[in-house]
Amino acid sequence: MKNIRQLFKDKDYLLEEPEVEQLIAYCEELQDEIVEFKFEKGKSKEKVLLEIIREISNSCQDIQKQQLEHERFDYEAPDYRNAVLNLKKYLDDRCREERIYF
């Protein structure tokens, strides 16, 4: 992708014209939109699924830590039923948002 200013490298005096300044500003906005689009496009379902799996794994580790604390300090046991329901809700919500069906 060419830098818009390179197009005027032989005629620098044109860069000071209001119309050219507007054109440059517009081109820079479009370049930003292209970058954002490429970023969004790059977020494939595979990446989303990996992100979901990481979140589920982290949730499971948190529950395991709670269980270890319960055993060590005789705290109240984790609410596994509620944890599983929350995990299922999270999974359903993310899959619906990302249009992932299984």
Side-chain angles (χ1 to χ4, degrees), residues 62-99:
D62 290 344
I63 290 175
Q64 287 175 327
K65 286 178 186 177
Q66 287 178 4
Q67 178 65 35
L68 290 174
E69 287 178 6
H70 165 70
E71 292 170 2
R72 184 173 178 197
F73 300 110
D74 198 28
Y75 288 156
E76 183 178 332
D79 184 0
Y80 294 110
R81 181 170 188 248
N82 198 27
V84 170
L85 289 174
N86 287 337
L87 197 56
K88 173 91 170 91
K89 183 182 179 324
Y90 166 77
L91 184 60
D92 291 343
D93 290 346
R94 283 298 305 267
C95 287
R96 185 176 48 256
E97 289 170 6
E98 301 294 339
R99 296 184 180 108

Side-chain angles (χ1 to χ4, degrees), residues 18-30:
E19 293 84 3
V20 174
E21 289 176 349
Q22 288 176 347
L23 176 64
I24 290 173
Y26 179 69
C27 288
E28 288 172 349
E29 285 178 36
L30 289 178

